[in-house]
Amino acid sequence: HVQLVESGGGSVQPGGSLRLSCAASGYTYDIYCMGWFRQAPGKEREGVAAIDSYGTITYADSVKGRFTISKDAAKNTLDLQMNSLEPEDAAMYICAAGSTYCSVDTLLRRTSQWGGGTQVTVS
């Protein structure tokens, strides 16, 4: 079982930046996929970025060129650097981990451990 705790959310103006971090603890040895998804009020959950244990990274089209996902295996942390934030990026951002390989498109159905989320506001 893996525990995920996010941090780094907050409120920024359009065009601003935030860096989210996810700390994983517990049995992390069989994590093959980690990523971030987001959920805004009235909208469906959306995969934002994913990285698998090979280091393969995928992004949602809506964030390509603006967001960067990175993982520190030694520290068991997953970061999401978000630049050029837009009001449409406002959402609860949730860290996810799973024991099978995934991409941003399969992140939600291939991850079984989710954190509590961190709120991002852009206005």
Side-chain angles (χ1 to χ4, degrees), residues 85-123:
L85 283 161
E86 303 168 352
E88 293 74 22
D89 295 317
M92 180 72 76
Y93 282 73
I94 299 160
C95 178
S99 302
T100 58
Y101 293 99
C102 72
S103 67
V104 68
D105 294 328
T106 62
L107 179 68
L108 287 169
R109 63 179 182 269
R110 292 193 175 182
T111 54
S112 56
Q113 305 300 323
W114 295 357
T118 185
Q119 184 69 43
V120 171
T121 302
V122 185
S123 63

Side-chain angles (χ1 to χ4, degrees), residues 73-97:
K75 296 180 180 179
N76 283 327
T77 57
L78 181 75
D79 289 350
L80 185 68
Q81 177 67 42
M82 306 187 295
N83 298 328
S84 302
L85 283 161
E86 303 168 352
E88 293 74 22
D89 295 317
M92 180 72 76
Y93 282 73
I94 299 160
C95 178

